[in-house]
Amino acid sequence: MKRLRLLLALSCSLAWNCKIPGAIAAPASTGQSSLAANLPKGPALQTLYRKAMEAYDAKHYDEASDLFKQVLVKQPDHASSKIFLARSLYQQKSLAEAFKTFQQIDIKLLEPDAAYDYGQVAFRSNDYPTAIKAFAIVPNGHPLYDLAGYYGGISAFKMGEYQQAIDLFDQAVVLPSKLVKMQKLYRKEAEKKLLSKQKHELNSGGTTSKTSKTSKTSKTSERPSAPVVAEPASFILAPLRGVLLSHRYMNQTSETKKALSTEFDLSRSELTAGWGSDKPNASAKNQWVYLANVKGMKTHDGEQEIPIMPTPDETLQFLALARHKPKTLARTEIGGGFETVIGDKGTLGVSVGAYAYAPDSDFKKRLMYTPYISVFVSQNGALFETSLKAEVHPRFDDQKLLVTQTVEEGTIQFNISRLAFLGLTGELNEYSYNTERLSGPDWNGRFRLQVGYAQKKSLSLTIGTFYEIAQGTRLYDQSPDVPLMKFNLSQSGAFAKADMYLTSWWIVGISGKLVRNTYSNPVPGGAQDYLDKSYGSKISQFALYTSLSKTF
């Protein structure tokens, strides 16, 4: 019996996490029950009733409702049709009509599955006494016994019957994972309120019994509210706490308009260790964050990798690789931040810190670093998730400011289901240079559209497309006649990525990018030919990678 209850809890947990309508309802396929065998009078009605039961067992609840109603028009006292009509209406989320139908039925006629559905309808209709009566019909040993205890406990709590609530919560031994925390919170709150109630009765010298008659009339208006058990805030800041070892192999091909092709096989091994603040508790309304990360990287031809839509961090990394061509690269970062909850499921926060790259671990002469500050706001709803952020990243080389990059980014994500999503991101980067003879754009804008599927600790798939446009007036030393050239760049492409969890700590994955670049410069001088030769008009990157991780 324990094994049966465990199996049911696992199935209920899956249904709960997938948010299937009626996931906490009793099993719908009960056509072989004794009530189902209670046929109406007459061959015609019996045939109609059997069709209704077939539709119900096939989960065609709208069709079943219509057929059961036709039976009841001819035979209004047919209890079985009323019961399955009420259950069909519940499955269609027609709570008001389902509740009205259930109330026309003698509760003693209900079998455990139907009684559980009645309890759910009454519970959702805020009729807690009826919900408790219905849940009480579910016997010990029945697969729904634990869930009946859980929802019966909440019903008793809302009625102010704290001892009964505690007893019913204790009945719920095997529950879906998402209900266990709620059960503990409700039970703890019930214990507090019961103790407070008992102390009040002792302090009042037993006068509560004299006033019990008058208090009955106001009891419904004084029902306690549920404990504060809001879902944990979806905080953005989450420092790495653990160790990560990864290796990546990449094949990169670039081709110019003149069909000149170059190909490189690139590899990179990384070891990262991070430490920071722990996750806040579920009821937290804000969090202070600190972090410290150290990464060691060994590359083969790393300076040959063409950056495609790099982040500010990756831009500094590519700059260090291109300028110093090291065999190893060390990265360090320290930072902190504050984040607070706004509204229902939104957060507002700020983070500050600095990250640095040291080619061949030379922290004295070749250190390149960037302090940063980021301000962000996010809103995480069940259907849509949005975020806005603004960041500033000044880049230094040996204590000399090279350029300051400002990032403004907005993202909106539509959650198609619990596992699938559609996202759109827009980004604007602006560059303010502080040194001469440093090539780069004045600004660039990016748009990215992606569709993804993510099953936690199992499989993650992402596919998308992007477009980027950039303009600049800083392209030096490419023509002896023109020391400074203007250029325009437009870049479009597609990307795909797949991660598979072999275990909870071992991931293998594959990724790919296909890019087409278009270059132009309004002033003759060779910028177009130089950029085409340096980066290519067509770029492809395909990578295989694996990572091992251990979190603290």
Side-chain angles (χ1 to χ4, degrees), residues 28-182:
S29 183
T30 56
Q32 297 180 0
S33 68
S34 59
L35 279 172
N38 181 19
L39 298 175
K41 300 175 183 178
L45 282 185
Q46 291 176 7
T47 301
L48 190 62
Y49 176 76
R50 288 191 181 98
K51 288 182 179 179
M53 289 305 304
E54 290 174 359
Y56 182 87
D57 290 341
K59 299 183 180 181
H60 300 155
Y61 301 117
D62 52 348
E63 180 184 355
S65 297
D66 292 338
L67 293 171
F68 284 127
K69 288 178 181 179
Q70 293 179 38
V71 174
L72 290 170
V73 168
K74 300 293 185 181
Q75 188 176 333
D77 61 345
H78 189 240
S80 182
S81 291
K82 285 185 180 180
I83 291 171
F84 283 102
L85 171 60
R87 298 185 70 185
S88 299
L89 293 169
Y90 170 48
Q91 294 287 351
Q92 296 176 76
K93 297 186 178 181
S94 300
L95 294 181
E97 192 176 357
F99 191 36
K100 183 178 179 181
T101 306
F102 267 123
Q103 287 178 315
Q104 300 171 11
I105 304 167
D106 185 353
I107 197 171
K108 296 178 183 179
L109 296 176
L110 297 180
E111 293 184 346
D113 291 343
Y116 178 83
D117 280 1
Y118 187 15
Q120 282 291 342
V121 172
F123 177 82
R124 293 164 181 264
S125 301
N126 299 325
D127 188 341
Y128 302 117
T130 300
I132 291 177
K133 290 179 183 178
F135 288 133
I137 297 175
V138 182
N140 189 359
H142 191 277
L144 292 169
Y145 179 72
D146 300 273
L147 284 171
Y150 172 78
Y151 287 104
I154 297 178
S155 300
F157 179 93
K158 291 180 178 291
M159 293 171 58
E161 300 295 339
Y162 304 118
Q163 185 58 60
Q164 184 182 15
I166 293 171
D167 294 339
L168 287 169
F169 284 133
D170 290 341
Q171 168 184 321
V173 178
V174 182
L175 291 172
S177 58
K178 283 197 173 183
L179 298 185
V180 173
K181 179 178 285 188
M182 299 284 285

Side-chain angles (χ1 to χ4, degrees), residues 157-377:
F157 179 93
K158 291 180 178 291
M159 293 171 58
E161 300 295 339
Y162 304 118
Q163 185 58 60
Q164 184 182 15
I166 293 171
D167 294 339
L168 287 169
F169 284 133
D170 290 341
Q171 168 184 321
V173 178
V174 182
L175 291 172
S177 58
K178 283 197 173 183
L179 298 185
V180 173
K181 179 178 285 188
M182 299 284 285
Q183 178 204 31
K184 292 179 179 178
L185 288 171
Y186 267 112
R187 194 187 187 286
K188 185 176 181 180
E189 191 69 15
E191 289 176 344
K192 289 181 181 179
K193 289 186 177 293
L194 178 61
L195 181 60
S196 177
K197 183 178 180 180
Q198 292 171 342
K199 287 181 178 179
H200 177 72
E201 290 177 353
L202 288 173
N203 293 335
S204 63
T207 58
T208 54
S209 61
K210 296 180 182 180
T211 60
S212 60
K213 291 183 179 180
T214 58
S215 64
K216 275 187 178 180
T217 58
S218 61
K219 189 173 184 179
T220 55
S221 63
E222 295 177 357
R223 285 178 183 169
S225 59
V228 179
V229 287
E231 294 183 5
S234 300
F235 289 116
I236 301 298
L237 300 177
L240 170 66
R241 291 169 54 90
V243 178
L244 176 66
L245 176 63
S246 65
H247 180 77
R248 186 196 70 176
Y249 164 80
M250 175 188 286
N251 176 266
Q252 174 181 282
T253 302
S254 62
E255 182 180 329
T256 68
K257 290 183 178 180
K258 297 180 180 180
L260 298 176
S261 179
T262 57
E263 183 176 356
F264 291 96
D265 290 327
L266 316 174
S267 64
R268 175 187 299 175
S269 299
E270 296 180 354
L271 176 62
T272 305
W275 186 256
S277 53
D278 204 352
K279 292 182 179 179
N281 57 52
S283 60
K285 295 300 182 182
N286 53 63
Q287 67 162 344
W288 289 95
V289 172
Y290 63 88
L291 62 88
N293 296 330
V294 178
K295 178 191 292 185
M297 181 190 310
K298 184 177 181 180
T299 68
H300 173 69
D301 287 338
E303 70 278 4
Q304 302 296 339
E305 183 175 347
I306 300 173
I308 298 174
M309 292 197 307
T311 65
D313 188 343
E314 292 171 336
T315 299
L316 185 64
Q317 173 186 303
F318 286 124
L319 183 61
L321 289 171
R323 178 168 294 188
H324 299 289
K325 299 178 176 57
K327 294 182 179 180
T328 63
L329 193 62
R331 180 189 184 276
T332 59
E333 180 182 5
I334 57 172
F338 175 77
E339 188 172 6
T340 185
V341 175
I342 56 173
D344 184 17
K345 294 184 179 180
T347 64
L348 172 67
V350 59
S351 63
V352 295
Y355 51 88
Y357 286 90
D360 293 321
S361 300
D362 188 349
F363 287 89
K364 291 184 178 181
K365 296 181 180 180
R366 295 194 287 179
L367 183 68
M368 306 184 75
Y369 59 95
T370 295
Y372 64 86
I373 181 170
S374 174
V375 180
F376 59 88
V377 61

Side-chain angles (χ1 to χ4, degrees), residues 243-250 267-272 497-503 505-511 543-549:
V243 178
L244 176 66
L245 176 63
S246 65
H247 180 77
R248 186 196 70 176
Y249 164 80
M250 175 188 286
S267 64
R268 175 187 299 175
S269 299
E270 296 180 354
L271 176 62
T272 305
K497 183 179 180 182
D499 291 339
M500 182 172 65
Y501 287 78
L502 300 182
T503 68
W505 46 268
W506 184 12
I507 300 175
V508 295
I510 183 172
S511 66
L544 296 172
Y545 53 88
T546 184
S547 66
L548 308 175
S549 63

Side-chain angles (χ1 to χ4, degrees), residues 380-494:
N380 295 316
L383 189 61
F384 286 99
E385 298 180 18
T386 58
S387 67
L388 296 171
K389 71 175 180 180
E391 299 179 346
V392 178
H393 296 258
R395 297 194 192 103
F396 290 81
D397 181 7
D398 193 22
Q399 299 183 355
K400 181 180 180 181
L401 176 61
L402 301 178
V403 59
T404 299
Q405 180 180 357
T406 303
V407 183
E408 300 165 23
E409 182 183 283
T411 299
I412 182 169
Q413 178 175 303
F414 171 60
N415 296 318
I416 302 171
S417 68
R418 189 179 65 87
L419 302 177
F421 66 88
L422 172 66
L424 176 64
T425 300
E427 180 181 327
L428 175 64
N429 294 275
E430 298 177 288
Y431 304 86
S432 176
Y433 295 87
N434 193 57
T435 182
E436 294 294 331
R437 315 202 70 76
L438 179 65
S439 299
D442 295 327
W443 66 270
N444 62 41
R446 300 169 179 168
F447 296 93
R448 182 171 67 251
L449 177 67
Q450 61 182 9
V451 178
Y453 171 91
Q455 189 170 4
K456 191 174 182 180
K457 298 295 183 179
S458 178
L459 179 66
S460 175
L461 302 172
T462 306
I463 186 170
T465 184
F466 65 89
Y467 177 76
E468 177 175 349
I469 184 171
Q471 291 184 352
T473 58
R474 301 179 62 87
L475 191 58
Y476 292 92
D477 298 331
Q478 308 311 319
S479 170
D481 301 322
V482 184
L484 180 65
M485 292 185 289
K486 297 181 180 181
F487 66 92
N488 297 325
L489 160 68
S490 62
Q491 183 179 80
S492 60

